[in-house]
Amino acid sequence: MARHARQPRKSARTADERGPSHRWWVLGVIGLAQLMVVLDATIVNIALPSAQQDLGFSDGNRQWIVTAYALAFGSLLLFGGRIADLVGRRVVFLTGLVGFAVASAIGGAAPGFEVLVMARALQGMFAALLAPAALSLLTTTFTVPKERAKAFGIYGAIAGTGGAVGLLLGGVLTEYLDWRWCLYVNLLFAFVAFTGGRRLLTAGAPADRPKLDIPGTVLVSAGLFCIVFGFSRAETHPWSSPDTWGFLVAGAVLVSAFARWQTRAAHPLLPMRVVLDRNRAASFIGMFISGGGMFGVFLFLTYFLQKSLFYSPVSTGLAFLPMVVVMIVTSMTTTNLLVPRIGAKPIVPFGMGLAAAAMAWLTTLDLNSTYFAHVLPPLICLGLGLGMVFATAMNLATAGVAARDAGVASAMVSTSQQVGGSIGTALLNTLATSAAATYLAGRRPTPAAVAQAQLESYSTAYWWSAGFFVVGLLVTGTLYRRGVPQPRVTAEEPATVRV
């Protein structure tokens, strides 16, 4: 009995000890969970008109179905990442899956607007646990450079294309079943991922657990909440309104106070060693900018296809599939072939440039445009650009991070993308609405004038998105180091790390 008790448990083995096949199964579980989180940001957009008609809420309240998720998700991501470092990534990952599934079930069965908003906020809270835990599991599972490149190529493609997959899946479910299935479908994703995660992920918690920085957690969560909320309010309130700029100023002050506190705290929530590395800083900024531009194009191109070209929800989702395929192929090629040979400095800025060109190309769309001649080419160009950005930025944002900081570094990646997407969508929507109103000023609101006003609004959004990507080109081109990234192993992080 004593001899048996002293034998190490089988579940305590590391990912490397279980062999390469085990690691790829882990990637499948993590990728499925990430897909669920990312597509949920867009799948509900397709279902909104049907949900509004069924539950009877106003146009003014409609935005809260999206905003409630974004507020909870964006403001709690750093906290969720640190919880993963404190408690253990497997526990947090599985907890996030269960909570997300329960919240989705509540939303799917919602009898009214208030319950649906509450469920969306709960989804965002549990997504804030799930997303950083998933990426940190990937970071600590794949430590061999070649395998890591392949894994992050796949993961980056999932993160980049999940929004488009959500549009397609949301269209199919809404058109052939019911809008509620856009939420119920998460139960299937969560069940498969939970079953696989429970069997495949090791159970250990970090040996050197950092303490939770409570003041820092409060400051950054409140600050990010105010920033996302302020930009969301800009969709329905003018920029001069205290309901808009007041929250933005408060958010900026709180985030600044958080940054100052992190230099003094004994156990900072976001250690400066994580963000001061040039490659990681460039990656975080790249994810922020590309998140804003990507979600913006999904929103406005969806409206263009459905309102201007009269596509069905399913046809709209199918229209994005070529971009998805190109992003997947580009992500894999970039991380496996290009980055190991020439580094990130030429790749990410070039991807930003391609994305900017694609946005400028989209401004040429009009009521006579056809899919294959006019919509598809810029979508392919955008897929090439984003495929270069996402996988590379995600890989370098978590490369060389000590195991004890893997969760919070991963959370910074998700925070950058989510907050960038929330701000970008709100800002672009405000600018687009203003452009449409400006065009209609002094004109009779005939159907032709209204249709042209919509085109003006879309074009304005595309031009601003192009500007975002140009800024991304300049910033990442300046910050990324020259040369091929070298794997670094520190005393805090052995070559074989515990999942």
Side-chain angles (χ1 to χ4, degrees), residues 28-29 31-37 39-40 43 93 97-106 123 130 169 173 177 180-197:
V29 170
L32 183 62
Q34 176 66 12
L35 177 64
M36 181 180 70
V37 170
L39 68 81
D40 214 70
I43 191 173
F93 179 79
L97 282 172
V98 172
F100 198 91
V102 171
S104 299
I106 294 172
Q123 279 186 308
L130 182 58
L169 186 58
L173 294 174
L177 291 174
R180 297 180 184 274
W181 280 95
C182 291
L183 294 163
Y184 286 144
V185 71
N186 290 325
L187 298 176
L188 176 60
F189 286 127
F191 174 77
V192 176
F194 181 88
T195 302

Side-chain angles (χ1 to χ4, degrees), residues 370-463:
T370 60
Y371 177 74
F372 287 102
H374 305 99
V375 177
L376 182 60
L379 275 182
I380 296 296
C381 183
L382 183 63
L384 286 169
L386 292 180
M388 291 181 176
V389 172
F390 275 114
T392 307
M394 283 187 169
N395 192 343
L396 294 188
T398 54
V401 178
R404 64 176 178 170
D405 294 327
V408 74
S410 302
M412 269 300 295
V413 178
S414 300
T415 300
S416 300
Q417 183 183 10
Q418 178 61 32
V419 174
S422 299
I423 290 174
T425 300
L427 180 60
L428 292 174
N429 195 46
T430 301
L431 294 168
T433 302
S434 298
T438 301
Y439 180 84
L440 287 175
R443 289 185 172 90
R444 293 180 57 193
T446 61
V450 171
Q452 188 60 40
Q454 289 178 334
L455 291 178
E456 291 292 328
S457 69
Y458 305 151
S459 180
T460 299
Y462 298 146
W463 276 121

Side-chain angles (χ1 to χ4, degrees), residues 283-365:
S283 297
F284 295 147
I285 295 172
M287 291 299 297
F288 177 84
I289 292 174
S290 55
M294 179 189 69
F295 284 116
V297 73
F298 285 163
L299 176 65
F300 293 103
L301 192 55
T302 296
Y303 273 101
F304 170 74
L305 292 174
Q306 291 194 20
K307 300 295 185 181
S308 299
L309 300 187
F310 306 106
Y311 280 30
S312 69
V314 173
S315 298
T316 300
L318 289 172
F320 285 97
L321 276 186
M323 187 188 79
V324 172
V325 173
V326 170
M327 281 188 68
I328 292 173
V329 173
T330 305
S331 295
M332 295 295 295
T333 303
T334 298
T335 53
N336 286 288
L337 298 179
L338 299 182
V339 174
R341 295 181 180 179
I342 61 176
K345 193 174 184 71
I347 294 173
V348 175
F350 184 66
M352 291 284 187
L354 285 177
M359 291 298 179
W361 199 344
L362 287 171
T363 63
T364 62
L365 297 178

Side-chain angles (χ1 to χ4, degrees), residues 2-45:
R3 183 169 62 251
H4 178 73
R6 286 193 298 268
Q7 291 178 350
R9 290 187 303 170
K10 190 173 183 179
S11 61
R13 289 186 299 172
T14 66
D16 288 327
E17 289 170 340
R18 290 189 175 192
S21 61
H22 170 82
R23 290 195 291 276
W24 294 110
W25 280 108
V26 169
L27 174 62
V29 170
I30 294 171
L32 183 62
Q34 176 66 12
L35 177 64
M36 181 180 70
V37 170
V38 176
L39 68 81
D40 214 70
T42 56
I43 191 173
V44 175
N45 291 350

